[in-house]
Structure formats: structure tokens, C-alpha cells
Amino acid sequence: MPLLIDGYNLLHVTGFGGGGGPNSFQRSREALLSFLANSIPDEERSLTTIVFDAAEAPPGLPRTLTYQGIIVRYAAEYADADALIEELILAETAPRSLLVVSSDHRIQRAARRRRASHIDSDRWYGEIWQRRQEAENQPGTLVPDKPVRSLTEAEIAYWVDKFSEGMAAEATDSVEPTKPRTREVETDLTNPFPPGYGEDLLRDGEQ
């Protein structure tokens, strides 16, 4: 099923949304993307798009790139991320198979107009986390609690490292060849967020 995620809306409910320090927001976004890449099945990542606002973004930031197979879009030429998400919903050729993740009523209305499914960000995040716990909670394995508040810089670094380790373990255990991508993107970067990007947006959202 194609998955379309409202990036900052999800970031606000995950607990990854800023913990202080000069690089906290960058680390928060890395933690979110690492969590998604480690939680969404391999075969579904190429069908997943996450959209972020691009206000005040550094010059030359790619509009489209990938992170562990997940397509990351920036609303560089739009009034806001909502406008780009609405356009992507409208352009979807099979909208009834699309799931939109956002608590924003404007985006949910756009999904309903195309008869696409939608789910609040906090509910979807909770469901994803529960599946992670069920998969990881083997005898003798400690699964940390779900973040439910803004994390400190040290805690964000912990989650980035934890999810990155999970990705490395999956890559080591996998014996299947890499599947070809089904959609074109402009570039593929390990860290799609330059330092300081989007900090003003998250601060505004927390007020």
C-alpha cells in the first residue's frame, strides 16, 4: 500500500521533536527517519513518501531524495508541505490504496475527496511501535519504552544509534538482492537534513 506521511506533523507526536542543543533538531529528524526505515518492511519503503516543509531551507537543497529507500520530499516551491501533500494525493493513480498519515484536517479532507484512507499521526505511530515491540520482544530482549515527550540530545542520539544498528543487522542477515526502485528520485543521501534545517518550523509548532 502506498504510504504518504506528513513529516513535521508526525515528528511532533513521536517525542523526537527537539531536545535542546545546536544540532538537536537535525538529530531528531535523523531519529525519525531511522525509526521509519527500521519499522517499515523492506518491500514497502519504496512506496513510502514523507513530506517536509522547506521554508528557510539552505540554497540548493534537493527537492527529492531517498533515505534507506524512503522517498523524502521538500515543499520547496509550495506555500507549505500541506500544498505538496494535497498535490501528491491528487496525482495518485490508485487513491483507494493510498494511506495518508497526518492529523491535519486539511490533509484528511483532501484524502477523503479522493477516497484515500487516512490516519492520525499519533495513532499510526502507536501502531507502528506496537508492531516493533511484538517483533523485538523476544525472551531476554529489552525493548525501551516508546518516546512520549521531547527527548534530550543524549536520548535522541541513543535512538539514532539504536535504529541504525537495527538497519545494519537487517542488511547483514538479508540474502535477497536489492529490489529495483519503482519511482525516480533526484539523489540518495545518508543524511538528508543539513545542520539547522527546519529548526524554526519545529519551534513554531511547539508554541
Side-chain angles (χ1 to χ4, degrees):
M1 166 182 283
L3 185 64
L4 180 57
I5 300 173
D6 183 348
Y8 279 114
N9 188 270
L10 178 61
L11 190 59
H12 285 311
V13 304
T14 59
F16 298 131
N23 297 316
S24 63
F25 289 110
Q26 180 183 351
R27 298 288 282 175
S28 296
R29 289 184 292 267
E30 290 176 14
L32 175 63
L33 283 182
S34 294
F35 170 79
L36 294 175
N38 194 238
S39 303
I40 297 172
D42 293 353
E43 64 275 12
E44 296 180 14
R45 285 184 208 149
S46 64
L47 301 176
T48 299
T49 300
I50 185 166
V51 177
F52 292 96
D53 285 306
E56 306 299 327
L61 181 71
R63 295 182 181 86
T64 304
L65 49 87
T66 64
Y67 182 91
Q68 299 290 350
I70 296 172
I71 296 177
V72 182
R73 294 287 304 269
Y74 298 95
E77 297 179 350
Y78 297 81
D80 51 33
D82 290 0
L84 175 54
I85 293 171
E86 286 178 322
E87 182 175 291
L88 293 174
I89 293 172
L90 187 62
E92 176 59 50
T93 58
R96 293 190 181 187
S97 67
L98 175 67
L99 177 61
V100 180
V101 179
S102 179
S103 302
D104 189 297
H105 291 172
R106 171 184 169 184
I107 292 175
Q108 291 181 352
R109 287 193 297 271
R112 286 196 295 270
R113 285 195 294 269
R114 297 291 325 275
R115 298 187 179 180
S117 300
H118 63 79
I119 185 171
D120 287 343
S121 293
D122 56 349
R123 179 182 167 192
W124 183 81
Y125 175 61
E127 292 177 357
I128 288 290
W129 192 270
Q130 174 135 16
R131 287 201 292 270
R132 281 187 59 88
Q133 286 187 310
E134 292 172 353
E136 296 179 10
N137 197 15
Q138 302 299 324
T141 301
L142 176 63
V143 179
D145 292 334
K146 177 179 69 174
V148 293
R149 55 175 171 77
S150 293
L151 306 183
T152 65
E153 181 72 11
E155 288 171 327
I156 291 169
Y158 166 80
W159 286 108
V160 171
D161 292 341
K162 174 179 172 57
F163 296 137
S164 297
E165 288 172 2
M167 288 298 301
E170 288 181 6
T172 301
D173 294 340
S174 176
V175 296
E176 295 183 1
T178 302
K179 296 182 180 180
R181 292 189 54 76
T182 57
R183 291 180 287 176
E184 288 188 2
V185 294
E186 295 181 10
T187 187
D188 190 337
L189 300 178
T190 300
N191 177 14
F193 300 109
Y197 167 62
E199 295 188 13
D200 57 325
L201 298 174
L202 281 175
R203 283 196 294 269
D204 291 343
E206 292 172 351
Q207 293 176 356

